[in-house]
Amino acid sequence: MKNLLFIYCLSLIFVSCGSSSSSKSNEKITKAEKANPIEYASTITSGELKTMLYKYASDEFEGRDTGERGQKLAIEYLKEKYKTLNIPTPLGNDDYFQEVPLEKQKVAEGKLTVNGKTFNSFDDLVILAVSNSINISVDEIVYVGFGIDDDNYSDYKGIDVKDKIVLAKAGEPKDADGNFITTGDTEDTKWTNGRQSLSSKREAATANGAKGLVYMDSDMLSKYAIYYKKQHASGAVGRLSLKSNERDMIMLMVSEELGKAIYESISEDTTAKNIKSTINIEIENKSESITSENVVAYIKGSEKPDEIVVISAHLDHEGIKDGEIYNGADDDGSGTVAIIEIAEAFKLAEIAGNGPKRSILFLHVTGEEKGLLGSKYYTDNDPIFPLENTVANLNIDMIGRTDPERTIGTKNYIYLIGSDKLSTDLHNISEEANTNYTKMELDYKFNDDNDPNRFYYRSDHYNFAKNNIPVIFYFNGTHEDYHKPTDTPDKIEYDLLETRARLVFYTAWEVANRNQRIVVDKASK
């Protein structure tokens, strides 16, 4: 941070010495078009990154588990960094924290009675989501086939499910050639890929106004039931969820036997229709509410302040398990400290009179490890700046190590994911920034639509991408210490971390300072 004081002093000398009217008339052109980003990128150093990461990924922060003491210490650390840099918060006053309301779920127990026959938890059903204990009777349920709502195929077309409970089955229909109907190929889709299919069908039901989803998948139920029953018996806390998003959504996973008790032709029929069945749902919920926080800071744009470039990384990690601290140095301490250095570089540019034309939001999100919760809350519940004004999201998640499985190419690389999926402009800007400045090997291995890892859907950028905001996901790949207590700061390659952080800075610099906003020329997937 010593760079801040040095350049600030230089800027005062420059201002005091500049006197002629001609130099003042040329000042705008000089600053807006001729500023050299190399000067500011050079302040992103391996030394400062290392000092911060040894602190941020230390045992002191107890693995930064969402909502827990270590995470609270981490957000205070980030707040103090931004205050030291004199970078304000967009929330006003001294409030750098966007509160994210969460529900710490305990396994709910319940039963369904269908036309007089009772089905119990862990045998024929598990309760996946419910906000309160309930005891309700339903005379009509809407069968929605596969429960898919996609541009190429929708089970919701022409039907009204608002404030109703829907029944959907697992899978996705295929065409005559054996390809999935939403994509036209044989690779798993977001409607067929395990937990992602569950999430996608819940989102489809919610988007169409349903108040509940009964999801029939005997195979998945057999796996979930064992785990849920064990969790219930121990009284242990299960997953976290966004309380505000799932408040009114009842979600159950049921067996084929229970599904057929509701609707006998469920296996063969894919036609949406109202089913007359007398169903009683009784659930006891013992979940508790907690609050976590996103950390937000920003630099206001000099010419286009209402247009926002978001640079993000997740601040949380796995916490403490079985007495061992999961420090999360690479995941995602590396991205967290990179953002602070990038923010400092932009602040130095602003002090020197070369602040970005567009505003830049530095967004540290919580709950990524729990299901992208902090970024989902920002995009779906409470965007601080309107999403339609958000130009791009550059998301950093693990950029301090190398992928041991990568045997071709140089060590000086970074995986880029998503850069071309929504905007050709953004992809070209990224390529040019690298060619002109960092000269890394940009590896698009995981950008393939058929990538079995599906990394595009697994970090915080996706919540922006699904809202048609162009994104780039910066990633070094997984390694032997991924999600283990051995992910420690002594294993970070700080020279690589420095170069990768500089690439993000250069890309953000161009996106923020170009005359025209980047164009979105492709649809979100």
Side-chain angles (χ1 to χ4, degrees), residues 216-246:
M216 191 192 79
D217 188 335
S218 289
D219 290 339
M220 192 177 288
L221 176 68
S222 65
K223 301 172 185 176
Y224 272 58
I226 296 171
Y227 173 76
Y228 273 56
K229 187 174 184 178
K230 182 179 179 181
Q231 290 288 101
H232 181 265
S234 68
V237 173
R239 73 183 184 95
L240 288 176
S241 64
L242 283 179
K243 186 172 179 61
S244 55
N245 253 15
E246 300 182 0

Side-chain angles (χ1 to χ4, degrees), residues 88-99 294 296 298 382 384:
T89 166
L91 300 176
N93 299 321
D94 195 38
D95 187 5
Y96 286 81
F97 303 149
Q98 180 188 42
E99 292 190 348
N294 293 332
V296 290
Y298 93 127
D382 187 23
I384 295 171

